[in-house]
Each structure stands twice: as C-alpha cells, then as structure tokens.
Amino acid sequence: MNVHAPPWPACSNVVQQRWYSSAAAAAAASSAQVSVVPCLKDNYAYVMHGGGVPVTVVDPGEAVPVERELARLGVAPEYVLLTHHHDDHVGGVTRIKEAHPNVKVVYCEADRDRMPVSADVAVSPSSTFALGDLQAEVIDTGGHTRHHVAFHIADAGVVFTGDALFVLGCGRLFEGTAEQMHESLARLAALPPKTRVYAGHEYSVANADFARAIDPKNAGLRARANQLRVLRSAGMPTLPTTIESERELNIFLRASEKEIADSVSKSVGEEVSDPVNVFAALRRLKDNA
Ligand SMILES: [Zn+2]
C-alpha cells in the first residue's frame, strides 16, 4: 500500500452539463430490476432492466454469463458501466461491445489508457450523465484504484459500488490512501438509506466473520451474519444490501464510533482514535486476517 502517493490529477470534466430526469421516467424507474450475474470465482456483474430504464450492464468480468442473462431476458444492452479497470470487472466488455456495437461504454475518463475498449461516454467523478431518460451520478470512490467510481441511479434507487463498498466490508487499498477510501465510503454512506447497493464481489461471509471479531457484542451484526450464511448455503447471492444496513453494521463505515476505535486499539496494542487512523488500522487488520 502506497500511503504517500502524490495527489493525482482529477479526471477532466468531459461531461459537465447537469441533466435532470423527467418526472415520468423517474417514477417508472423505481420499478427497475437488477439481475445478479455471478462471474469468475466470486465476482458479480449486473444487468439493470425494466421500468423504462435502459438495459445496463455493470462490470462484466466475463461476457458469457452476461450474454446468457441478456438472452434469458430477451433484451440487448444499451450501456455498460465500468467502475474501475481491473480485469475481473472489465474482462467481458470487449466481447459485449463486439456483439452489440451500439452499446455505450461508460467509465472514468482518467482510466482511458488502461481500459480494454474506448469510452463512448467518458465521465469524471462528481458529475452526472444521461442514462437514457434518467440521470446517473458518478461518485468519486477512489482508494481501491485511483480513478474508481460508483454509479448512483437515484430514480431507480440503486448504486453500483464495484470494489469500494461490499456487504460488511470495503475494497483493498491498491492505489489510494486510507484517507481517500474513508472519504469515498463517507460519500456512499451519505446516499439515501433505502438505496440498494450492488457490489463487485461475494465476500460477505468472510467480511461478517471479521466484523464479528471486531464488534463481537453487536446483536444486529450476529443476526446479519447468520442471514448471510443461510443465503450462501442456499447458493444465493447476498446482494443487494442497503446503505441503511451498511451504515448500521459495516465496521468500515463506523470508524468514528468509540466501540470500534476501542476494539481496534486493543487489536493493534496502541491507542487509535482518529477515524481515519481507525479505518486504516481496520483495513490493515483485514488484509492480514
Ligand atoms: Zn478491483
């Protein structure tokens, strides 16, 4: 982890115009559905569809399972959203673009040199873009990678968080600092509580085990851990979660709570109280768990 990385240039503002969804499109979008598509070992791609929302693929780690789901639904993709450049999130995009030449690929403009296809819609963090008749918000979630972004479609009540926020966990810091990731998670935590969260990996049970080691007396966490285990043993995905559930239970969003700080201090053998330092220590403990 490079904690002393120099500040990187912000993504340039390719899409600056603010854009608002029409009331009718917004109302319909609340009934949009999201298919969870397992890819590779433990990745999830997603297909958002229905409710007048354009058919939108998110983070296709491989093409075949995504194409199978599109065929099952009888739809063609209109957009592909990519949260970051890692292979397990973009591995299928070239084939999807070849099979559907009109599909619009959307990602952070600053990642253009390390993406396998060119962007049809190059976005910058903290901007919005038109996703069909809807407005989609690009949330700066740097930390796992420099230019990682999340996609929030408020009218559909969903956010796609890639490798920033997981059920009861968060992504590893490969290119960013603990402070940056802490801020990224705070941006996600500030979304409306009922927002459904679709993350990039099925790490929930391992995250729950780690969270319970840090916060063992939390009855809500115990109940949630049991629920996650039941889902997994039935072969079901544990996604989506909600912002509300993660704010309440995810220890990486609770670094400012005294109980978490005290537990972390005990684990590392020294007093840690500043929320960024608590978060950094939690992330290190999880990396070594
Ligand atoms: Zn990644």
Side-chain angles (χ1 to χ4, degrees):
M1 180 176 67
N2 180 3
V3 293
H4 300 295
W8 39 86
C11 300
S12 63
N13 284 324
V14 174
V15 177
Q16 287 183 322
Q17 114 207 61
R18 222 175 147 72
W19 197 89
Y20 294 94
S21 319
S22 76
S30 61
S31 63
Q33 294 174 37
V34 177
S35 297
V36 181
V37 184
C39 290
L40 305 169
K41 183 165 154 265
D42 51 28
N43 277 78
Y44 287 130
Y46 296 103
V47 179
M48 182 168 66
H49 60 97
V53 164
V55 176
T56 303
V57 173
V58 183
D59 281 2
E62 53 183 337
V64 170
V66 172
E67 291 289 0
R68 199 183 297 133
E69 178 61 10
L70 291 167
R72 190 188 72 81
L73 294 166
V75 296
E78 294 164 72
Y79 289 88
V80 177
L81 312 183
L82 304 176
T83 60
H84 66 297
H85 72 287
H86 285 161
D87 277 350
D88 60 325
H89 294 254
V90 307
V93 71
T94 304
R95 278 183 66 179
I96 290 171
K97 182 76 182 169
E98 279 166 9
H100 311 278
N102 293 329
V103 79
K104 294 189 181 75
V105 178
V106 183
Y107 59 75
C108 182
E109 203 265 343
D111 261 346
R112 67 185 179 281
D113 291 339
R114 50 185 190 175
M115 285 291 194
V117 295
S118 57
D120 301 286
V121 183
V123 295
S124 55
S126 313
S127 71
T128 59
F129 65 98
L131 187 74
D133 289 337
L134 299 175
Q135 176 182 246
E137 182 188 357
V138 183
I139 301 177
D140 176 356
T141 44
H144 176 71
T145 64
R146 273 192 288 284
H147 309 299
H148 191 293
V149 292
F151 296 98
H152 177 221
I153 299 99
D155 294 324
V158 303
V159 64
F160 297 99
T161 59
D163 287 355
L165 176 64
F166 298 126
V167 174
L168 301 181
C170 74
R172 279 174 188 261
L173 302 173
F174 285 122
E175 299 179 354
T177 62
E179 185 172 20
Q180 186 186 12
M181 187 61 129
H182 186 250
E183 284 173 9
S184 293
L185 294 175
R187 283 183 206 106
L188 293 172
L191 293 176
K194 303 294 181 203
T195 306
R196 285 174 286 149
V197 176
Y198 293 90
H201 287 271
E202 179 58 70
Y203 291 159
S204 307
V205 168
N207 287 343
D209 289 345
F210 177 69
R212 292 209 56 211
I214 297 292
D215 190 14
K217 292 185 188 143
N218 188 325
L221 193 52
R222 187 187 317 133
R224 178 71 165 137
N226 290 339
Q227 179 194 43
L228 295 169
R229 259 180 225 289
V230 168
L231 284 169
R232 288 312 291 152
S233 52
M236 304 278 287
T238 58
L239 280 297
T241 178
T242 62
I243 292 296
E244 186 173 42
S245 172
E246 296 310 308
R247 279 175 60 168
E248 187 187 333
L249 300 175
N250 189 324
I251 54 174
F252 292 95
L253 301 184
R254 297 165 54 212
S256 58
E257 291 180 22
K258 187 175 181 309
E259 280 196 2
I260 302 297
D262 287 349
S263 175
V264 166
S265 300
K266 224 159 104 184
S267 298
V268 300
E270 63 173 303
E271 178 71 21
V272 193
S273 58
D274 175 76
V276 172
N277 294 338
V278 171
F279 172 80
L282 270 177
R283 190 56 261 177
R284 275 194 301 272
L285 287 165
K286 178 69 170 69
D287 289 346
N288 300 321

